């Protein structure tokens, strides 16, 4: 069962910030929020993950609400190369050795960056 | 390139033929995953290995599918008696799990299968 819900699609102008929302109202205390993206005909690419604090790396920022029921991925200055499907996934952060820590993908949100 | 590599990138076959895909993970990664992706859908989990042990198989992995990771390094995914419904992108990913902490999955570019 999908644990996250995302809009189907959105677009933004090149150079502007892209804010991608995600709802995960049933998230458990030991689950992290992960974001991956998939550019056409390529494998998914890791972007960022977080537990409860906001996170930032060279690709994006992740803002998680205080109740952890939703989050927003922010691409600060979107470029045409950011056009992709973005997946928001919840995943346990630590498991008993050998336990499955797979990623369960939904359909994601298609971001189109327009010139 | 030290990322996950998959071979072949594209395979066209006739229904009923067998096909095999290979995945070479990032060298120090102890976990290896196989996923399948059809058009318009997110990747679906098929199976995963911890070193050479296959620890879980999805119910999507019918008995025509078999995966191996004989020495805990590269892995193969074989599909016997292919059907048109097997047409999909087959993705491999690897990760490092240490001390119970899960690492990010790194994906390969995928092997696209077309069954005629």
């Amino acid at each position: 069962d999908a644990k996250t819900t995302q809009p189907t699609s959105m677009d933004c102008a090149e150079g502007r910030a892209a804010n991608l929302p995600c709802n995960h109202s049933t998230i458990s205390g030991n689950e992290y929020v992960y974001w991956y993206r998939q550019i056409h005909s390529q494998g998914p690419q890791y972007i960022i993950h977080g537990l409860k604090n906001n996170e930032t790396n060279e690709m994006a920022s992740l803002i998680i609400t205080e109740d952890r029921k939703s989050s927003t991925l922010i691409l600060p200055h979107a470029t045409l190369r950011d056009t992709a499907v973005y997946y928001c996934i919840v995943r346990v952060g630590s498991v008993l050795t050998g336990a499955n820590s797979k990623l369960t993908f939904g359909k994601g949100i298609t971001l189109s960056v327009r010139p | 390139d030290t990322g996950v590599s998959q071979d072949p990138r594209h395979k066209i076959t006739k229904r009923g033929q067998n096909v095999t895909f290979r995945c070479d993970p990032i060298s120090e990664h102890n976990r290896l995953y196989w996923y399948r992706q059809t058009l318009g859908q997110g990747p679906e989990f098929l199976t995963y290995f911890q070193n050479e042990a296959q620890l879980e198989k999805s119910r999507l992995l019918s008995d025509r599918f078999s995966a191996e990771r004989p020495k805990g390094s590269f892995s193969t995914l074989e599909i016997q008696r292919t059907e048109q419904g097997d047409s999909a992108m087959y993705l491999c990913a690897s990760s490092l799990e240490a001390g119970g902490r899960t690492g990010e999955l790194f994906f390969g570019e995928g092997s696209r299968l077309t069954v005629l």
Side-chain angles (χ1 to χ4, degrees):
Chain A
D1 292 338
K3 287 189 160 185
T4 66
T5 55
Q6 301 176 256
T8 302
S9 63
M10 67 176 291
D11 63 21
C12 76
E14 188 176 19
R16 305 298 295 268
N19 298 293
L20 286 70
C22 180
N23 287 320
H24 31 80
S25 59
T26 61
I27 193 169
S28 300
N30 66 343
E31 289 181 317
Y32 285 68
V33 179
Y34 277 75
W35 283 83
Y36 278 72
R37 74 178 183 184
Q38 189 171 24
I39 295 170
H40 182 62
S41 296
Q42 296 183 19
Q45 175 191 24
Y46 166 79
I47 301 173
I48 198 167
H49 74 284
L51 183 61
K52 53 184 177 180
N53 297 322
N54 298 337
E55 301 287 345
T56 295
N57 63 20
E58 65 278 4
M59 291 181 70
S61 294
L62 175 60
I63 309 298
I64 302 174
T65 57
E66 191 170 344
D67 63 7
R68 303 212 316 127
K69 292 185 177 182
S70 65
S71 60
T72 301
L73 179 74
I74 301 174
L75 307 179
H77 306 287
T79 70
L80 297 178
R81 286 179 295 182
D82 292 322
T83 292
V85 178
Y86 288 77
Y87 298 99
C88 171
I89 301 164
V90 294
R91 178 188 186 222
V92 292
S94 63
V95 295
L96 296 175
T97 299
N100 198 337
S101 56
K102 67 188 179 190
L103 295 171
T104 300
F105 291 83
K107 291 189 175 182
I109 178 173
T110 299
L111 173 67
S112 301
V113 180
R114 60 181 187 277
Chain B
D1 190 307
T2 57
V4 177
S5 63
Q6 294 188 244
D7 182 73
R9 293 291 312 279
H10 303 274
K11 178 72 176 178
I12 299 174
T13 191
K14 293 182 178 179
R15 188 177 54 186
Q17 297 295 303
N18 300 343
V19 296
T20 300
F21 301 116
R22 176 181 169 122
C23 172
D24 287 90
I26 294 171
S27 59
E28 65 269 24
H29 283 183
N30 52 8
R31 289 214 164 179
L32 187 147
Y33 301 78
W34 285 99
Y35 282 79
R36 181 175 71 184
Q37 186 173 27
T38 54
L39 196 64
Q41 304 296 316
E44 297 173 292
F45 169 78
L46 291 178
T47 188
Y48 87 102
F49 292 83
Q50 172 93 10
N51 300 312
E52 67 276 9
Q54 187 174 17
L55 297 186
E56 184 174 332
K57 293 190 291 186
S58 162
R59 55 186 168 79
L60 293 175
L61 210 67
S62 76
D63 55 8
R64 296 185 296 106
F65 287 69
S66 62
E68 295 182 343
R69 195 183 182 196
K71 297 183 180 180
S73 57
F74 74 91
S75 175
T76 57
L77 176 69
E78 181 183 17
I79 308 173
Q80 296 182 325
R81 305 181 303 281
T82 53
E83 301 172 356
Q84 288 185 324
D86 297 331
S87 295
M89 175 76 85
Y90 290 86
L91 293 160
C92 176
S94 69
S95 69
L96 176 64
E97 182 194 308
R101 293 185 61 81
T102 56
E104 300 88 73
L105 271 65
F106 293 84
F107 284 82
E109 298 293 315
S111 294
R112 181 168 296 283
L113 173 66
T114 301
V115 182
L116 302 177

